[in-house]
């Protein structure tokens, strides 16, 4: 029998029976409270707003303490998120509070991607929780849940309308986090302007389809106050770390030459409304909404992306095992396909390379043949030349031999010729023509 059928049958068979005496399970709510108190609570706030809008001051004012944190400059190249966790204790209740604040938001010339680091941060916290949930040995009770429970969106007190950066960012965040918009430094705007500004912001949020967090009205005990407070959104707040003596009480306030703004005075600003709604009345609802709405949406999209479904195409329940196996088979099929593709590609590449090598080899052979032919021709030419030179040399030798022969014959005849010349010389000397006889005359010999 299917689990659903069994459950239906159990439900149908369920009867109400009276108890004869006190059993004790009426202490279950107390048990739950005690367990929760001993475990402690965690709450994570994200403050999104331009640099210097009073984010840190408001956190200090809300929790009545001084958290660490240096002011940032307006020269950040991009938006970053700075996260700090603190352990707080009030009566016997422990709270692990994480404050995440944007750094450099609204300081860049191009603000197109300013929302991205914020979205990525929120998703990263959901992903970490999902990974913990999917572990075989999960320890969710001691896991430090870093999912953002409330996003305080700080709006500059311009008195005009929302900046496009604010609208785009809130639109990108509204399906991921509980957005509570607040008008920061509201002491910088007059009462009548503030009322108009609130109306303008609300209408802009509605016309742009931005879903802000609505305080729940389904619980009777808080329905009325939450309903009233929903109409006051966005809260106009003032923060201060300065304490001023008013009457005989020390109060957080901001002092100006013309007067004092009391943070906790509801006639001066909505700080008390924000604290009531955020901490004293709806903290648990914010935690629950984060888990049941925003995380659930993230988880669903992520699991669907991974191939998990609740029902198969025939509307039958899909088992985890079947889904896993189907996904595994799909993955193996894809892997095989990829492997085959890679093999084909490899074979193709080898073929191409082989053809390239063959072509190169052919070219090399042709080049070799050409060179060989050239070499042979050159060799033949040289041999012909050598032959010619040999013939010339032989002819020369023959001529030389003949010349030597003639010379030797000539030298014998040369002796009588010299004598004849000496005689002529003497005759010339006598006749005074010696000066005309050349100095190197001795070397003139008749050789033939
Ligand atoms: P970064 O962290 O540097 O982005 O600034 P921040 O948003 O944390 O602002 P921070 O709290 O450091 O305040 C910046 C300045 O604004 C300080 O001088 C505060 O005293 C002043 N400030 C804070 N809250 C208010 C407020 O409600 N009204 C007015 N007028 N000034 C405020
Ligand atoms: Mg700060």
């Amino acid at each position: 029998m299917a689990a659903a059928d069994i459950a239906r049958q159990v439900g149908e068979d369920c009867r109400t029976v009276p108890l004869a005496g006190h059993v004790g399970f009426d202490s279950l709510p107390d048990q739950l409270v005690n367990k929760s108190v001993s475990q402690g609570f965690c709450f994570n706030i994200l403050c999104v707003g331009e640099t210097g809008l009073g984010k840190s001051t408001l956190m200090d004012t809300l929790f009545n303490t001084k958290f660490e944190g240096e002011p940032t400059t307006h020269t950040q190249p991009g938006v970053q998120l700075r996260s700090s966790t603190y352990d707080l204790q009030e009566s016997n209740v422990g709270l692990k509070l994480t404050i995440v604040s944007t750094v450099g938001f609204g300081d860049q010339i191009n603000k197109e991607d300013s929302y991205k680091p914020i979205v990525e941060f929120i998703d990263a916290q959901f992903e970490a929780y999902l990974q913990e949930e999917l572990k075989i040995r999960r320890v969710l009770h001691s896991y430090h849940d870093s999912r953002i429970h409330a996003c305080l969106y700080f709006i500059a007190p311009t008195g005009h309308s929302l900046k496009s950066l604010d609208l785009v960012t809130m639109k990108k965040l509204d399906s991921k986090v509980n957005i509570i918009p607040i008008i920061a430094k509201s002491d910088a705007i007059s009462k009548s302007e503030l009322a108009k500004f609130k109306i303008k912001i609300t209408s802009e949020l509605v016309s742009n389809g931005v879903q802000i967090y609505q305080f729940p009205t389904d619980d009777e005990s808080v329905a009325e106050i939450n309903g009233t407070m929903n109409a006051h959104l966005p809260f106009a707040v003032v923060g201060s770390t300065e304490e001023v003596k008013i009457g005989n009480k020390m109060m957080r306030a901001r002092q100006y030459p013309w007067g004092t703004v009391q943070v906790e005075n509801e006639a001066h600003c909505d700080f008390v409304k924000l604290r009531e709604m955020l901490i004293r009345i709806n903290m648990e609802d914010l935690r629950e909404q984060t888990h049941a709405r925003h995380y659930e949406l993230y988880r669903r999209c992520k699991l669907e992306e991974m191939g998990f479904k609740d029902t198969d195409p025939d509307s039958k329940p899909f088992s985890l095992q079947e889904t896993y196996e189907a996904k595994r088979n799909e993955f193996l099929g894809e892997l095989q396909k990829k492997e085959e593709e890679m093999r084909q590609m490899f074979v193709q590449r080898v073929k191409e390379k082989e053809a390239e090598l063959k072509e190169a080899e052919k070219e090399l052979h042709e080049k070799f043949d050409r060179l060989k032919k050239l070499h042979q021709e050159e060799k033949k030419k040289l041999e012909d030349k050598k032959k010619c030179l040999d013939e010339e040399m032989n002819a020369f030798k023959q001529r030389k031999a003949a010349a030597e022969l003639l010379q030797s014959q000539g030298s014998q005849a040369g002796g009588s010729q010299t004598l004849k010349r000496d005689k002529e010389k003497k005759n010339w000397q006598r006749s005074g023509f010696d000066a005309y006889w050349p100095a190197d005359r001795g070397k003139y010999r008749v050789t033939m």
Side-chain angles (χ1 to χ4, degrees), residues 326-338:
K327 200 71 199 164
R328 190 169 176 271
N329 289 342
E330 193 185 309
F331 174 72
L332 286 177
E334 257 174 44
L335 205 76
Q336 255 176 3
K337 211 171 120 194
K338 275 241 151 60

Side-chain angles (χ1 to χ4, degrees), residues 19 21-31:
L19 300 176
H22 182 243
V23 177
F25 60 77
D26 59 350
S27 70
L28 259 173
D30 299 331
Q31 290 175 34

